[in-house]
Amino acid sequence: MCQSHWHDFLQGLPKCEHHVHLEGCMTPELIFQLAEKNQIKLPDPAENPAYQSAETLLARYGNFTSLDDFLSFYFIGMNVLVHESDFEDLAWAYFQKAHADGVHHAEVFFDPQVHQDRGVAYQTIVSGFTAGCRKAEKELGLSTRLILCFLRHLPVESAAQTYQNILTHNHFENDVVHGLGWSSTEVGPPKDMFRQLYAQAAAQGVRLTAHAGEEGDASYISTALELGAQRIDHGINLVQDPVLMERIARDGVMLTVCPISNVQLRCVDSIDQVPIRAFLDAGVKFSINSDDPAYFGGYILDNYCAVHEAFQLTLAEWRTIAENSVKESWIEEERKLELLERIDRHFLKHAGLV
């Protein structure tokens, strides 16, 4: 954790989080609790010792070898979510932690395809997560946005059925689902596998984002932009392509960077290898996020502090990050102005920080 005076500054800094998977907020304790409640059988500890207890599972989380290694645990953890109240409780647990870390606006991902494949109704999933969002808005004063992610390791037909569910329930028109993304295994599936779905969504004015350039090279980012993505989740391999990086800076495309996640998934060896400095120097907009905090051992404030320790950013640089996070959020202008004013007041309060 960063030094005390910087920690206080970073904790109080009004934040927007744009890259957090609600299913990635499933702590080992909650997994075991819901498994017992919903009578879901977890893996046999004799075959997978990580599932002996919440403690052994947490210890295993510190030793992921790759994105796919992490995903194998991620999808097991999702299995314990059954009822609408389970999804609401999961979202509420995240929002409480985020609020304590200084988050004022959160755009959260959810992955309905896996839940639907095991018999959980689409409406159950969305209603639960929406209830958690509404509770956060009412009780914590957060603004929220719900972004549905298609999963790249599943067939396109599965994503198409989920897209049809959104349309059937009018979830775009009713501001229940505020955008689409894609996630899961990056290298392997076709880069443009959601071309048709993204074209259809773009024609309807739906906001689009995409996980790209985390494990995959910079061409995954350019493909995502070609398909209509308005921002890029992760995107750290953008530095491989200076021409593309110049284009992204010029066009104001925001990256949603997740530093601790990058280390935990072995994309980089340490936080100082995340291209924070390169992005700042090139004028690339980015926000700092937690991704799957229950699995990676770091919520958003942990990521802010890790970045500060690695790069010793100045107040001016933190202001740039904070303001860009607000300006590129998918919220109305009135809310953006409100959050920018809060950031301004925070910097006035800490003007003497050196």
Side-chain angles (χ1 to χ4, degrees):
M1 194 63 74
C2 44
Q3 295 178 357
S4 59
H5 60 299
W6 277 104
H7 177 266
D8 292 343
F9 166 76
L10 291 173
Q11 183 171 31
L13 179 60
K15 304 171 188 68
C16 297
E17 182 149 39
H18 307 102
H19 188 156
V20 58
H21 299 264
L22 289 176
E23 290 92 344
C25 300
M26 289 282 297
T27 64
E29 292 80 8
L30 186 56
I31 289 173
F32 276 85
Q33 175 188 330
L34 289 179
E36 180 177 1
K37 171 195 166 190
N38 295 327
Q39 298 183 329
I40 302 297
K41 184 174 176 56
L42 294 173
D44 186 343
E47 298 177 2
N48 191 333
Y51 287 90
Q52 290 178 359
S53 66
E55 291 73 24
T56 57
L57 187 56
L58 182 62
R60 177 61 176 82
Y61 286 176
N63 296 283
F64 294 127
T65 59
S66 66
L67 175 61
D68 284 340
D69 181 34
F70 151 67
L71 288 173
S72 67
F73 286 89
Y74 178 73
F75 292 125
I76 290 172
M78 291 170 64
N79 287 333
V80 303
L81 296 164
V82 176
H83 305 289
E84 182 177 317
S85 60
D86 300 335
F87 293 95
E88 179 180 357
D89 290 346
L90 175 58
W92 177 238
Y94 159 73
F95 286 124
Q96 289 180 92
K97 177 61 177 173
H99 180 256
D101 277 358
V103 172
H104 290 240
H105 174 68
E107 302 184 2
V108 295
F109 294 129
F110 72 111
D111 305 331
Q113 288 166 265
V114 174
H115 303 301
Q116 292 173 129
D117 286 350
R118 56 189 179 82
V120 180
Y122 169 82
Q123 189 59 28
T124 296
I125 304 160
V126 177
S127 294
F129 282 148
T130 300
C133 290
R134 298 292 175 265
K135 187 173 182 179
E137 292 171 356
K138 180 179 180 180
E139 299 191 20
L140 302 176
L142 273 72
S143 49
T144 68
R145 294 291 184 268
L146 199 56
I147 303 172
L148 187 151
C149 268
F150 297 138
L151 299 178
R152 290 173 57 84
H153 72 285
L154 295 177
V156 173
E157 293 75 17
S158 171
Q161 180 57 55
T162 296
Y163 186 79
Q164 188 56 49
N165 282 332
I166 303 173
L167 300 181
T168 299
H169 292 280
N170 295 316
H171 280 167
F172 290 138
E173 294 85 346
N174 297 334
D175 283 334
V176 174
V177 175
H178 300 91
L180 294 176
W182 74 56
S183 61
S184 189
T185 301
E186 182 174 9
V187 178
K191 297 177 186 178
D192 65 344
M193 66 182 291
F194 299 122
R195 180 180 294 275
Q196 186 174 351
L197 285 172
Y198 265 45
Q200 184 178 350
Q204 294 179 286
V206 177
R207 284 173 161 153
L208 302 171
T209 185
H211 284 53
E214 177 188 14
E215 288 192 321
D217 60 35
S219 68
Y220 286 78
I221 299 172
S222 57
T223 299
L225 294 174
E226 176 198 342
L227 267 60
Q230 296 157 299
R231 66 187 186 208
I232 298 296
D233 304 311
H234 289 298
I236 57 173
N237 287 332
L238 176 63
V239 292
Q240 298 172 352
D241 188 336
V243 174
L244 181 60
M245 185 156 69
E246 182 179 350
R247 171 191 164 191
I248 281 184
R250 182 181 66 249
D251 293 347
V253 176
M254 185 175 73
L255 311 181
T256 65
V257 180
C258 306
I260 291 177
S261 168
N262 294 155
V263 174
Q264 290 292 88
L265 296 184
R266 308 296 187 258
C267 298
V268 297
D269 293 328
S270 58
I271 297 292
D272 60 10
Q273 292 180 7
V274 179
I276 297 293
R277 177 59 59 196
F279 290 157
L280 284 168
D281 291 346
V284 172
K285 295 179 179 180
F286 64 89
S287 59
I288 296 171
N289 309 273
S290 64
D291 199 2
D292 300 282
Y295 289 85
F296 300 146
Y299 285 79
I300 191 168
L301 180 58
D302 301 302
N303 279 271
Y304 270 62
C305 286
V307 165
H308 185 74
E309 286 193 339
F311 296 98
Q312 296 298 303
L313 300 184
T314 65
L315 282 174
E317 289 167 335
W318 277 118
R319 180 184 281 273
T320 295
I321 293 169
E323 291 182 346
N324 283 341
S325 296
V326 171
K327 292 175 182 177
E328 299 308 317
S329 291
W330 292 347
I331 48 177
E332 62 278 359
E333 289 301 314
E334 183 179 358
R335 177 62 171 163
K336 288 182 182 180
L337 290 174
E338 179 184 342
L339 294 179
L340 289 171
E341 288 174 1
R342 291 182 185 182
I343 290 171
D344 190 53
R345 290 197 298 270
H346 183 73
F347 274 88
L348 288 173
K349 177 181 177 182
H350 291 273
L353 188 64
V354 294

